[in-house]
Amino acid sequence: MKYKAVDPILRVVCPLLAEVNNQDDDDMSMDRAAAEVLDTMAINLPKKQVFPLVFEFSVGNAGNPNPNCREASVMALGVITEGCSEGMKKRLSDIISLVLQALQDPEQNVRGAASFTLGQFAEYLQPEISECYETVLPCIFNVLSDVSADVQVMSHTIHE
């Protein structure tokens, strides 16, 4: 913060969430490393420094033709939920609509990221997320019957 590096770091880290994993099993993938950096920043820095830029990234990539970018847009929100919960609660209706849109994406990886993110919301955005049950629950029920077992597994973590 002293060197005003938060903004430039986030502008580099968020797009790295869309990087395809081409690493060996022993090496950490670029998207995984980016997620860990983002989570650490969200937990340890002032939320007003992290949330607005990540939200801007998410909104800007939600309609991207590249499915990896759409996945990253939703995953970024899930990753910062624990650290930025208070700021996210204030924009919950906007955030929920973005995630529910991703939950209906034709790409499995985007739906899986949206399921993960809803699970994070269920854990860290209480009690406000409970007030959205009328729009969220029907979408969760649809995911439980998703053709992809991976998406179903992600959605089961919401119930745990």
Side-chain angles (χ1 to χ4, degrees), residues 143-155:
V143 171
L144 290 173
S145 61
D146 195 283
V147 294
S148 166
D150 291 337
V151 175
Q152 290 176 7
V153 167
M154 294 295 272
S155 69

Side-chain angles (χ1 to χ4, degrees), residues 62-75:
N64 193 306
N66 180 339
N68 292 335
C69 291
R70 294 193 309 272
E71 175 188 16
S73 78
V74 180
M75 185 61 71

Side-chain angles (χ1 to χ4, degrees), residues 38-93:
L38 194 57
D39 181 45
T40 301
M41 291 178 78
I43 290 171
N44 294 298
L45 295 175
K47 305 340 163 194
K48 66 181 183 188
Q49 296 278 320
V50 178
F51 173 68
L53 198 69
V54 173
F55 184 64
E56 175 187 314
F57 168 80
S58 295
V59 169
N61 284 282
N64 193 306
N66 180 339
N68 292 335
C69 291
R70 294 193 309 272
E71 175 188 16
S73 78
V74 180
M75 185 61 71
L77 291 172
V79 169
I80 68 164
T81 303
E82 179 182 6
C84 296
S85 61
E86 292 310 311
M88 294 178 80
K89 288 175 182 180
K90 294 174 184 169
R91 300 289 307 266
L92 193 55
S93 63

Side-chain angles (χ1 to χ4, degrees), residues 112-130:
S115 292
F116 162 78
T117 298
L118 279 178
Q120 294 293 100
F121 289 1
E123 185 169 349
Y124 297 109
L125 300 182
Q126 291 295 340
E128 288 81 351
I129 190 70
S130 300

Side-chain angles (χ1 to χ4, degrees), residues 16-17 19 21 27-38:
L16 291 176
L17 290 170
E19 291 294 316
N21 183 7
D27 296 331
M28 183 181 288
S29 65
M30 187 65 68
D31 60 333
R32 171 75 187 240
E36 289 193 16
V37 169
L38 194 57

